[in-house]
Amino acid sequence: MSVAGMGWSNSASAPEAAAFVRQVVQENEATALTCLAVPGFRRGDELPEEVAGLLGVPLSWVSDNALRAVQNICPTVSERALQETGFASVAEGCALAGAGRGAWLRVLRQVHAGITCAVAEGEETK
């Protein structure tokens, strides 16, 4: 099973984000999506709840500590994200943290219309 990590800008729409996440998962032959993992520092934003609902999967808010713990294994570094959030990799970090122990990235960060998405699999998602 797969976990999609997602980051977004304020211009992103839930239907477009859900379609993009679905596309990323399908095009990369990831296993069935089991969770949408998003950064806890964005809690209060309704977009991820809407996206998870459209995808039919539970939503997981990733804590700053969990996101920080996986930054060293995220291959993508976004200077913009680092400046704005304090994290160099939000989508990849959320995917890895959400997938749990033994997680690895099936899909590196993809970007579309203000949405970032990465997909991870791990021992806890099988």
Side-chain angles (χ1 to χ4, degrees):
M1 306 294 180
S2 299
V3 173
M6 186 180 79
W8 64 96
S9 69
N10 292 333
S11 65
S13 77
E16 190 159 22
F20 179 56
V21 170
R22 263 192 215 101
Q23 176 185 340
V24 169
V25 169
Q26 290 171 352
E27 286 181 357
N28 292 282
E29 300 176 4
T31 56
L33 187 63
T34 58
C35 181
L36 179 66
V38 297
F41 62 79
R42 295 289 306 259
R43 193 177 288 274
D45 191 327
E46 294 177 7
L47 183 120
E49 293 180 25
E50 294 174 30
V51 173
L54 290 169
L55 293 170
V57 297
L59 179 64
S60 173
W61 293 96
V62 177
S63 72
D64 285 2
N65 286 341
L67 193 52
R68 193 171 295 109
V70 296
Q71 289 297 294
N72 63 332
I73 58 173
C74 294
T76 303
V77 173
S78 167
E79 291 299 327
R80 181 177 176 190
L82 184 58
Q83 288 177 346
E84 292 179 8
T85 69
F87 297 100
S89 185
V90 175
E92 290 174 350
C94 286
L96 287 165
R101 189 178 52 228
W104 58 279
L105 286 170
R106 173 170 287 282
V107 183
L108 300 181
R109 180 186 74 162
Q110 306 287 305
V111 181
H112 171 75
I115 305 147
T116 59
C117 177
V119 179
E121 297 182 3
E123 294 172 17
E124 295 176 17
T125 59
K126 291 184 179 175

